[in-house]
Every structure is written in C-alpha cells, then in structure tokens.
Amino acid sequence: MASLNFDEAAHLLRRMGFGGPPEELEFLTTLGREGAVDALINYTQTDNSALDDLIAQSFDFSNPDIFERFNRGELQRWWMTRMVYSKRPFEEKMTLFWHNHFATAANKVDDRFMFVQNLKLRAQALDRFDNLLLTVSQDPAMLIWLDGIVNVRGKPNENFARELQELFTMGIKDVVTGEANYTEQDVQEIARAFTGWKFFFNRGTRDPFNYPFLVNPAEHDELPKTVYGQTANFTGQDIISIVSNKRATGRFLVYKFFNFFVYPLDTANAADRSTIEKFADVYFASNHSIKELARAIFVSDEFFSERARFALVKTPVELVVGAVRMLGARYNPGDYNPRTSSNILAQIVSFLGQELFNPPDVAGWRLQLGWINTSWLLNRYTFADFLTISRTADLNAPGVWIPHDQIKRYTKANVKKTVRNFLSVLGPLPVDASVNLALRNYLQTGDDGNPVTFVKDDLTVDKKVRGLVHLMMSLSEFQLN
C-alpha cells in the first residue's frame, strides 16, 4: 500500500471533497493512499446522522406547494448545508459533478423536479453509468429541459438525442481519435427512439416527489430506426445501452473526470491520449462502473503527480465550502422560517458566478478560467473579507462566522510559525519566499505603518490574524485546487 503524506492527504480531500481541518488530514495519512481513497469513496458506510438531524430541523420540504418553505433559495440553502456538514464529502462532490455534467436549470425546470433530480444524482452517483444515464433520461427535469415530453411520433424533437451524444456520452468527436462519433442521421433516428417518453404528475399522491416514468404508446414511434449503421426497432432504453458501451463514451467520461478532478487533458498530446485509454480500459473492464473508474483515477500516480497539484481553478462552491471546512468556521443555516434562516453561503456562491440548480446552459458551467474575470475575482476577495471579519456574540444566530477561539487555536507564539500554520490550514499553500516574508511583515506592522512586536493576545488574534487569513484567502494560490 502506498503511503500518504499530509500534503497528499490535503490534495486528495480537496478534490474528493472540499478540504478539511488538519486533524482530518492527519487521520487520512494513517490510512495510506488506497485506504484513504476507499474511506472516502465507500461513503455509504459513513454515519451521516448528524447531518440528517440538522436537515430535519432546518428544512420543511413536506409540501412543495408551500412556496415559503420550498423554493429555489431553500434548495440552495439545503445543498450548501449538506456540503458544509456532510461526513460524506465525496457523495456531495460527485453530485456536484453530475449536476454540471447533466446540466439542467431552474430557469426552465420547476424547483420540485430539480430537487428530485438532485436526489437521484446523489443516490446513483457511483452506479453503473448506464443506470445513471437511464435514470437521468427518464427523470422529469431532463424530459422538460430538453423537450422530451414534446418528442412524439411524426414530430420528433432532436434536442435530447443531440445532447445525449454531444454532452452526456461521447462528444462530437472522439477525444482520442478525433473522428466524428455520430452523424446527423443518427441524431434524427435516435430522437425517434425516445418518442413518447413522459412522466406522471399526480398532485393527489401521498409522496409529493414521486413522478413515475411512462412511455405513451400512442406517441412512440414503433418503426425501425437506423442508428450507427444498424437497423432495428430501437427503444430509448436500447439507445442508452448502446451508447454507454461505445469506446468513445468511456474515453469522454475519463476526459470529463480528469478536467474536473485531476488536471486538464490535452487531447493533442499523445501521452494524455494514452492516459485516457488507460482509464477507459477500467471503465469497460468494470462493466461501466463509475465507482471503479473513480477509484482507479484517485489512487493513480497521475492524480498525485506534480502536474495535478493546484492545477485546477476552484469552483465557487469549492472556494466557499472549502474555506468554511478548512478553517472550522461555523455555519448556522437556521430553520425554514425566512426570518430565522440564513442562505448567505448560497448567495455568496451565486455572487461568485455559480448559482446552484441553475447552470447557465446545457453545457454547464465553464471550468478553470471560466471562473475568473475582473468582477468575480474581486468578489472572491470580498468573500475572503466577509468571512474573516464575521463575528457573532449569539452562537444560535443564523449566518456564518469564524469563532475567535478557532482563529486563536491556529495562532502560534511567533510570526514565522503563525504564518506557516495558517498556510498549512488553508492548503497547504505553496507560496514563495517573498510572499511568505510579506505575510510575516504584515503581522509585525501597525496601523500607522510602523513596526510592532507580535504578541499572541486576543486583540492581535481578532484583528491582525483575521487580517492575515483574509490576505491568504486573497492569494492566487488559494484560488487553485
């Protein structure tokens, strides 16, 4: 079993989750590389009852027709609460990955259907890809989002058939060979295979989130279709199986996984194409298991390579949730009464360009430098300031803050150790000597610009050390994952 040092544990937890406090990283190091990955990926074995209790106390989704208690803002508050407090961070991270992969949006889809889809993405996040794809395809959110419910015999709607191939499975061109994966005729014929797909919406049912899938025989095209050169009376379910078994799909999923979890792949580079092939083999050898593919990637040397370290720009969710989890900040979501709840974290994430449950279009959010522009970068600095200056005397008040004792806990007796410790807590961040010196000088400079002696007292901790955390969170290194 390969060993796992502190830096590697931090890298692993940031990617498979959102980062965590030093003691959580120390624990992972004791498990070794494979043991740590298994502990995170086998999350169904992890007790999450504390989160379940918090969710039960803070939310009331019993009747989605009560707008005050069930709306997009409440969904966002619910998911941010989950990501901050879940003991199963990889479960939430995979849900986020699939939310961006199968990007449906609340600007067209009713909130109740977005909620149901989110539950299904979480429940089947590590299932066989075929099963997940079929579930998503038959789910109300996708049927509405890509017009499946108006796709009928004689008037096929091609939206889903096109995105199924272009965005959800193979891509327009094979990411290894560069060859076209499908033709326009394939799009048209596949659209016919999915005609008549509907869902049943019964407001009188006991479960307000149960929308059974059905195929309306009167609207389904039963005639033969020619897909990828083969002719048969293909159904939509047949197409899901066929496309999930395409070599191009295995390659495309590896490409998407790397770009989200490891590092951006260059398909013009032969070594990167070999990497895609290596992990696509895992996809097929494991019968399309997402779990086995993910495990192979996270224990690999590629994942722990220097190329992967800080190679990704943090998404707004990773930035915000990561800061809260790493620093041990407190987030009290409050309850379902709008006057006694706080949705501040979801609002900040939107402020940084990522509105949960509402990605910009069917292609999802643009990763990497898509998160950085002159406005959003300044917003990241504003978040750093907001979090570090947030304090409260009422520990039961809704909102987010960093307790004084938490800042004090990481503050050391001298400047050098204090800077080193906070850089470790927030990364560890690989800053150069000049940045390190500037941070140390900050702690030893008074408001009037004159040198002061650093003393670990409450005033210094509350003012200068909070300022130090703000500066570190504004570093370019902290924007990277």
Side-chain angles (χ1 to χ4, degrees):
M1 183 175 70
S3 62
L4 188 75
N5 64 35
F6 188 86
D7 281 19
E8 290 169 335
H11 171 65
L12 180 67
L13 192 55
R14 286 197 307 272
R15 297 291 177 84
M16 291 189 75
F18 307 95
E23 56 270 22
E24 194 171 345
L25 304 182
E26 293 287 2
F27 172 72
L28 288 177
T29 65
T30 66
L31 303 178
R33 180 187 294 190
E34 290 82 2
V37 170
D38 286 341
L40 291 165
I41 207 168
N42 294 319
Y43 49 72
T44 57
Q45 301 172 16
T46 301
D47 178 20
N48 219 14
S49 57
L51 173 65
D52 295 338
D53 291 344
L54 177 61
I55 293 293
Q57 295 167 11
S58 302
F59 299 87
D60 179 8
F61 290 174
S62 59
N63 186 348
D65 290 327
I66 301 178
F67 179 78
E68 187 180 66
R69 298 188 179 186
F70 187 88
N71 53 63
R72 193 187 309 177
E74 281 297 276
L75 291 182
Q76 293 166 343
R77 186 171 71 91
W78 169 80
W79 198 2
M80 290 301 291
T81 301
R82 295 191 64 89
M83 288 191 276
V84 167
Y85 286 114
S86 177
K87 298 293 184 185
R88 305 172 178 179
F90 190 52
E91 182 178 45
E92 298 306 322
K93 197 65 171 284
M94 282 301 300
T95 306
L96 185 63
F97 172 77
W98 291 125
H99 177 44
N100 195 45
H101 183 82
F102 297 112
T104 56
N107 63 24
K108 179 175 179 179
V109 180
D110 188 281
D111 293 332
R112 71 186 70 208
F113 302 134
M114 293 301 299
F115 175 61
V116 169
Q117 185 195 53
N118 187 280
L119 295 178
K120 292 178 179 177
L121 294 178
R122 182 174 291 97
Q124 292 186 250
L126 296 178
D127 202 343
R128 289 183 71 235
F129 182 67
D130 313 47
N131 297 340
L132 174 64
L133 181 60
L134 181 62
T135 294
V136 171
S137 302
Q138 295 179 338
D139 186 67
M142 188 61 75
L143 288 170
I144 294 170
W145 176 245
L146 290 179
D147 306 312
I149 55 176
V150 296
N151 182 22
V152 298
R153 183 178 60 190
K155 294 183 179 179
N157 186 299
E158 299 172 4
N159 283 353
F160 178 71
R162 189 176 306 282
E163 306 306 356
L164 170 71
Q165 299 171 94
E166 179 179 337
L167 297 173
F168 304 155
T169 57
M170 301 183 291
I172 297 175
K173 293 183 178 179
D174 189 299
V175 292
V176 170
T177 68
E179 297 174 351
N181 282 320
Y182 56 90
T183 66
E184 194 62 24
Q185 182 185 358
D186 291 325
V187 174
Q188 296 165 1
E189 295 289 275
I190 287 176
R192 292 176 53 216
F194 286 97
T195 50
W197 281 36
K198 308 287 182 188
F199 65 93
F200 187 59
F201 186 4
N202 181 5
R203 286 186 178 273
T205 184
R206 181 172 295 180
D207 179 358
F209 298 109
N210 182 26
Y211 312 107
F213 168 78
L214 60 91
V215 178
N216 182 357
E219 295 181 348
H220 180 64
D221 188 335
E222 290 283 0
L223 297 176
K225 299 100 182 170
T226 299
V227 178
Y228 309 133
Q230 302 295 315
T231 301
N233 182 16
F234 294 117
T235 65
Q237 192 161 345
D238 293 332
I239 298 298
I240 295 294
S241 298
I242 292 170
V243 77
S244 296
N245 200 40
K246 287 278 191 181
R247 183 74 188 180
T249 294
R251 291 167 172 162
F252 188 66
L253 289 176
V254 171
Y255 179 76
K256 293 290 294 282
F257 262 74
F258 261 73
N259 284 356
F260 190 85
F261 288 107
V262 188
Y263 52 69
L265 285 167
D266 178 6
T267 58
N269 181 288
D272 279 8
R273 293 198 299 274
S274 295
T275 297
I276 294 173
E277 290 289 59
K278 171 183 171 181
F279 292 103
D281 287 344
V282 175
Y283 173 79
F284 289 103
S286 64
N287 193 24
H288 311 171
S289 167
I290 300 164
K291 182 177 182 179
E292 292 306 316
L293 173 61
R295 187 182 186 282
I297 289 174
F298 285 117
V299 301
S300 71
D301 291 338
E302 287 85 350
F303 178 78
F304 287 98
S305 67
E306 283 302 314
R307 179 180 174 184
R309 303 294 182 89
F310 297 100
L312 305 175
V313 176
K314 285 178 181 170
T315 66
V317 166
E318 290 171 328
L319 185 85
V320 172
V321 176
V324 171
R325 292 185 73 126
M326 287 189 281
L327 287 166
R330 287 283 308 279
Y331 170 53
N332 181 358
D335 57 31
Y336 45 81
N337 185 333
R339 291 181 292 277
T340 52
S341 68
S342 170
N343 199 18
I344 186 63
L345 293 186
Q347 291 167 348
I348 291 172
V349 166
S350 296
F351 183 56
L352 303 180
Q354 190 173 24
E355 184 186 4
L356 290 174
F357 293 96
N358 201 31
D361 54 43
V362 69
W365 290 287
R366 310 307 185 259
L367 304 180
Q368 311 303 6
L369 291 179
W371 295 120
I372 301 296
N373 60 34
T374 52
S375 174
W376 287 344
L377 186 58
L378 287 175
N379 292 351
R380 287 181 175 226
Y381 301 158
T382 300
F383 161 64
D385 180 48
F386 171 81
L387 181 63
T388 52
I389 67 172
S390 292
R391 309 168 176 86
T392 183
D394 180 5
L395 298 180
N396 295 315
V400 64
W401 65 91
I402 307 176
H404 177 79
D405 289 345
Q406 192 66 13
I407 297 286
K408 192 173 184 178
R409 175 187 172 205
Y410 294 129
T411 303
K412 300 300 180 183
N414 63 56
V415 167
K416 183 177 180 181
K417 290 182 178 178
T418 297
V419 168
R420 185 171 61 196
N421 202 38
F422 275 100
L423 286 174
S424 178
V425 169
L426 290 168
L429 299 177
V431 303
D432 62 29
S434 64
V435 173
N436 194 302
L437 178 61
L439 294 169
R440 286 152 55 187
N441 286 341
Y442 164 77
L443 287 180
Q444 300 174 101
T445 303
D447 292 343
D448 57 3
N450 291 319
V452 297
T453 300
F454 179 81
V455 178
K456 183 184 174 182
D457 56 23
D458 285 343
L459 181 61
T460 301
V461 168
D462 193 56
K463 185 176 181 180
K464 295 298 288 187
V465 180
R466 283 182 183 271
L468 176 74
V469 176
H470 174 208
L471 291 176
M472 288 183 177
M473 288 178 62
S474 301
L475 292 171
S476 57
E477 288 84 352
F478 188 71
Q479 314 312 311
L480 301 177
N481 191 0

